[in-house]
């Protein structure tokens, strides 16, 4: 009888523990779901959730453009639908990803970037927000190669149900100088 009671209590506690994770990745929701208790801004990435086939082009050391690289870009809700994670799988064998959290106190996104090409002791962080037409703009302080103060600016734009574009550029403090270094164009699977 005591064993049966313990089994019953364990079963009830286990079911209630799993029931609290209704927005995590599952067979039914392979990219998770937006938690209705998340800050409303977490939905900024809603049209990007899922997998997209993309082409990526970046600058070579001589500042010309490298050949295009095909990549898979996957976005999903994590932390029980309270944040977003993305990962890229590139045909050249370099892969990367980010954890994207919205901070309601500062009304800003904080994006922590990581890459298979290096493992820094501290992850670089971009922050920013969504502006008109669903564009997401993020910044990180970064000097130019010749020492000018500025930012590396990331911009998701032309975001639609089945496609989006991304650009990374160095910009000076007032953004009167913009130097694109990386462009990505995606089609949803």
């Amino acid at each position: 009888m005591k064993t049966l009671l313990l089994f019953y209590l364990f079963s009830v506690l286990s079911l209630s523990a799993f029931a609290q994770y209704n927005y995590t990745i599952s067979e039914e929701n392979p990219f998770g779901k937006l938690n209705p208790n998340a800050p409303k801004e977490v939905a900024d990435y809603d049209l990007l959730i899922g997998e997209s086939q993309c082409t990526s082009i970046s600058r070579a050391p001589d500042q010309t453009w490298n050949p295009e690289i095909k990549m898979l870009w996957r976005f999903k809700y994590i932390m029980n639908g309270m944040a977003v994670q993305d990962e890229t799988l590139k045909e050249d064998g370099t892969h990367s990803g980010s954890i994207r959290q919205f901070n309601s106190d500062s009304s800003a996104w904080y994006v922590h970037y990581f890459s298979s090409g290096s493992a820094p002791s501290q992850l670089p962080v971009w922050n920013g927000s969504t502006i008109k037409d669903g564009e997401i703009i993020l910044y990180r302080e970064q000097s130019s190669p010749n020492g000018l103060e500025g930012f590396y600016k990331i911009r998701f734009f032309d975001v639609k149900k089945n496609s989006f574009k991304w650009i990374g550029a160095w910009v000076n403090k007032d953004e009167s100088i913009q130097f694109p270094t990386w462009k990505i164009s995606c089609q949803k699977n």
Side-chain angles (χ1 to χ4, degrees), residues 87-182:
E87 65 180 327
T88 65
L89 302 170
K90 299 178 193 81
E91 70 179 357
D92 69 355
T94 60
H95 313 299
S96 59
S98 299
I99 303 291
R100 301 166 183 274
Q101 290 181 278
F102 188 81
N103 183 316
S104 296
D105 292 340
S106 62
S107 294
W109 278 101
Y110 290 88
V111 179
H112 305 270
Y113 174 79
F114 47 93
S115 169
S116 64
S118 66
S121 60
Q122 187 172 17
L123 293 176
V125 178
W126 280 258
N127 61 37
S129 61
T130 301
I131 60 165
K132 65 180 171 71
D133 300 325
E135 285 192 20
I136 300 170
I137 298 179
L138 305 163
Y139 294 92
R140 182 176 144 228
E141 282 194 40
Q142 180 176 315
S143 295
S144 71
N146 64 357
L148 281 174
E149 289 185 7
F151 302 96
Y152 195 76
K153 177 182 178 180
I154 294 172
R155 184 173 152 236
F156 287 91
F157 65 102
D158 202 13
V159 178
K160 299 177 179 143
K161 184 177 180 179
N162 294 316
S163 64
F164 65 93
K165 294 179 182 174
W166 180 99
I167 190 165
W170 181 86
V171 298
N172 64 342
K173 292 278 185 175
D174 67 4
E175 297 192 43
S176 60
I177 301 171
Q178 298 197 23
F179 185 72
T181 63
W182 195 357

Side-chain angles (χ1 to χ4, degrees), residues 34 63 67 75-78 108 110 178:
L34 176 62
Q63 302 309 320
F75 284 81
K76 57 191 169 191
Y77 289 110
I78 61 167
Y110 290 88
Q178 298 197 23

